[in-house]
Amino acid sequence: LKVGDSVDFKHIAANVKIPYYHTDGSPPGFKGVNRLTLIAVGVGIAPMIQVLHEVLDNNEDDTTEVVLLYGNRTVDDILMADLLNRWERDYASRFRVIHHIGSRYQNVLMHFDDCPKDCGKPCKRRKFPDPVNFDQIPVEKRERGWISEETIAKHGFPADDPTHRVMVCGLPNVYRTICGPRGTKDLAPGSALANLGFTKEQVVKF
């Protein structure tokens, strides 16, 4: 391909997870949805950016509230940071991002090898340092470690809201922990969203 060339793309039915309506005369948005919790890890932000373009920039009459829980190993790994910051400024009443920085082991406290093991559990001598540049993210917009059942409950919208949908995208372990395998619509028993009371009808797996 050369600069300026055009390319045609075609959707296949399996790739259309949930339609966004804005040309059928009804209010723009995902029908019956007033709130969205987006859960993305790493490059899993890609489909969420598509969603946010429609909900925020492309349809001024859309009133959907959105919270994005976005996980990365480091602050420098955050993709589309400038765009996400701009959206937060422009749509402050409707959109917020909670950054999760670090690994799933980030909050684990461990003993040093030479610890006498009588200092209490967990060991008060051992604490992982904050991720590099972690303090650049406002306290109310950050969590250490992986997106978890606890942080979804803390920052996301509640499961008992019938107008609420959750969208998930990440690596296989993300699906396993949050909702169950990507290839099935069912929520896995013991997964974060199942434990929080969500139903499979409320969850979209990208």
Side-chain angles (χ1 to χ4, degrees):
L1 291 174
K2 302 185 298 295
V3 174
D5 285 351
S6 62
V7 179
D8 292 328
F9 291 90
K10 181 180 180 180
H11 275 300
I12 61 173
N15 282 345
V16 180
K17 304 298 184 181
I18 180 172
Y20 184 93
Y21 294 90
H22 55 83
T23 60
D24 64 348
S26 60
F30 301 103
K31 283 189 175 178
V33 177
N34 295 330
R35 286 174 161 180
L36 287 172
T37 296
L38 308 181
I39 299 174
V41 174
V43 295
I45 193 66
M48 308 310 179
I49 294 295
Q50 290 180 302
V51 169
L52 291 167
H53 268 303
E54 290 298 313
V55 171
L56 300 176
D57 271 348
N58 294 349
N59 293 281
E60 61 183 19
D61 294 329
D62 193 326
T63 59
T64 306
E65 297 178 69
V66 187
V67 59
L68 168 64
L69 309 186
Y70 186 22
N72 286 281
R73 286 194 176 276
T74 72
V75 173
D76 289 342
D77 290 332
I78 296 172
L79 300 175
M80 311 298 290
D82 289 344
L83 179 60
L84 293 173
N85 290 338
R86 197 264 293 173
W87 277 335
E88 282 197 286
R89 290 193 304 270
D90 292 352
Y91 304 97
S93 64
R94 295 176 50 213
F95 177 60
R96 56 195 172 93
V97 182
I98 307 297
H99 291 284
H100 292 62
I101 305 298
S103 75
R104 57 181 161 174
Y105 305 111
Q106 192 69 42
N107 296 319
V108 177
L109 303 182
M110 303 173 62
H111 291 279
F112 283 114
D113 290 340
D114 63 347
C115 182
K117 307 293 191 297
D118 60 358
C119 57
K121 296 181 179 180
C123 179
K124 296 179 177 61
R125 295 180 57 211
R126 175 76 171 176
K127 186 176 181 180
F128 285 102
D130 283 337
V132 175
N133 297 327
F134 192 60
D135 59 355
Q136 293 182 3
I137 303 174
V139 173
E140 69 277 9
K141 289 168 45 60
R142 72 190 191 200
E143 293 281 356
R144 288 180 54 175
W146 274 23
I147 299 170
S148 66
E149 181 178 331
E150 291 73 24
T151 62
I152 296 170
K154 179 180 177 181
H155 298 290
F157 297 112
D160 60 3
D161 181 351
T163 72
H164 176 204
R165 296 293 181 273
V166 181
M167 298 182 177
V168 183
C169 190
L171 295 170
N173 274 345
V174 174
Y175 290 103
R176 180 180 56 78
T177 303
I178 300 299
C179 56
R182 178 174 179 261
T184 173
K185 292 184 178 180
D186 292 330
L187 290 184
S191 64
L193 294 181
N195 290 346
L196 291 171
F198 288 93
T199 66
K200 65 180 181 181
E201 289 78 18
Q202 291 176 287
V203 179
V204 178
K205 302 177 185 181
F206 284 107

